Amino acid sequence: MKVDTSALAQPQVQPSGPATPKTPPKEMAYATLAPDVYHRSGEQDQTPTYSKPVVIGEGRTIVETAEETIKRTLDAESQLYLGGDMFHAADKMAEHYDEFMGMLEQTDPQLVKKNWGFSVDDQGLLTVSGNLTQDEIATLEEKLNSNESLVNYANEVKEAFLKYTDMERGPGLPTSKGWGKYDVNNQNFADIINMRSLMEERGGSRGQMPNFGEKLSLLDFVDNVAEQLKSKAEVAFADEPFNYVHNGA
């Protein structure tokens, strides 16, 4: 039997058009993934995974440098003891105090000779203390507080004292060798500082007469404040070495 093999020998006919390449299995898998998106640096999410800093071991916080400590204390001492804002406010206050006492001599002469004092309370009003009746205290407080200039300068004296004693103590662990070592604040100032006593320091009793144009002697004024603090205030901020460094919490 004769078998016809002509059909087997003929070449296969290629389909017309460009050939379609086969897709490798690996590239087929990648084709299912979303395309990469590239961001500029400003568009990236800058939120860190951990926002709270971690501190390892015991740290020490420098509140101020040695140079800053020196400058601060010199500025405070200049204001408190060398004729700064506090003394200048008190000297201006003395003029209005003299006017007040002159008028009191005419209206209530018996009060002029009595032992009383006044200061500034935590509300900024002048408050009277001393061996007086309640009526006498009320009369003096009414007259004192009606003198606007006297009230304003008395408050300036208090504000300067509190500001610069706080500056003298410094940041961190507050300490002082001067007036700042005493615990004097807005609430207890009137219990410690008698402003009438400051106003009566005249005549250079400690060897220094007032300068030209001034009513008060600076040396007498500073000594009077120091004596009042020593006798009536509590020492709460005694000086310690290296007060500008403290352990971090």
Side-chain angles (χ1 to χ4, degrees):
M1 180 176 175
K2 186 177 181 180
V3 179
D4 185 3
T5 61
S6 60
L8 298 174
Q10 294 180 356
Q12 295 182 0
V13 179
Q14 297 293 333
S16 60
T20 302
K22 294 182 179 181
T23 303
K26 184 177 181 180
E27 294 184 6
M28 289 180 65
Y30 287 164
T32 62
L33 300 176
D36 292 336
V37 178
Y38 296 92
H39 300 273
R40 290 179 297 178
S41 60
E43 297 174 349
Q44 297 180 17
D45 184 4
Q46 300 296 322
T47 304
T49 304
Y50 302 99
S51 59
K52 185 177 181 179
V54 178
V55 179
I56 300 176
E58 181 181 0
R60 294 180 68 83
T61 302
I62 304 300
V63 178
E64 63 182 9
T65 65
E67 291 78 8
E68 290 171 335
T69 299
I70 293 172
K71 182 181 184 305
R72 170 181 55 76
T73 53
L74 287 177
D75 288 346
E77 289 171 357
S78 175
Q79 287 290 343
L80 292 171
Y81 317 118
L82 301 177
D85 293 345
M86 182 183 178
F87 174 74
H88 288 308
D91 192 65
K92 292 177 181 177
M93 177 183 169
E95 178 181 352
H96 299 283
Y97 171 78
D98 291 346
E99 294 174 355
F100 172 83
M101 294 301 291
M103 295 181 63
L104 190 65
E105 180 73 44
Q106 298 177 11
T107 59
D108 300 274
Q110 74 282 359
L111 290 178
V112 175
K113 299 177 182 180
K114 289 194 174 183
N115 183 22
W116 56 272
F118 71 94
S119 192
V120 184
D121 66 12
D122 57 352
Q123 301 298 317
L125 298 175
L126 301 188
T127 180
V128 173
S129 60
N131 189 19
L132 302 172
T133 67
Q134 289 300 315
D135 288 341
E136 290 173 330
I137 290 176
T139 297
L140 283 171
E141 287 184 344
E142 180 181 2
K143 290 180 179 295
L144 285 167
N145 284 291
S146 65
N147 189 320
E148 184 176 349
S149 297
L150 188 62
V151 173
N152 289 339
Y153 284 122
N155 274 274
E156 286 187 19
V157 172
K158 175 184 176 180
E159 290 167 4
F161 176 88
L162 296 179
K163 174 181 177 180
Y164 294 115
T165 51
D166 183 67
M167 178 188 291
E168 188 178 61
R169 286 189 287 267
L173 296 176
T175 57
S176 170
K177 293 180 179 179
W179 295 349
K181 70 184 178 183
Y182 295 102
D183 183 18
V184 183
N185 52 59
N186 183 51
Q187 283 69 37
N188 67 7
F189 181 88
D191 299 327
I192 297 170
I193 300 299
N194 178 357
M195 293 207 170
R196 187 185 183 194
S197 178
L198 296 178
M199 296 295 99
E200 294 291 342
E201 286 287 359
R202 310 291 177 92
S205 59
R206 290 170 175 80
Q208 183 195 51
M209 295 297 293
N211 292 326
F212 179 77
E214 295 179 346
K215 288 185 170 293
L216 301 180
S217 161
L218 175 60
L219 182 59
D220 290 350
F221 176 83
V222 171
D223 284 352
N224 186 289
V225 174
E227 289 174 359
Q228 293 195 54
L229 291 171
K230 184 178 180 180
S231 63
K232 293 183 281 185
E234 177 185 357
V235 175
F237 306 100
D239 186 41
E240 296 176 359
F242 308 107
N243 64 308
Y244 55 90
V245 178
H246 76 283
N247 288 330

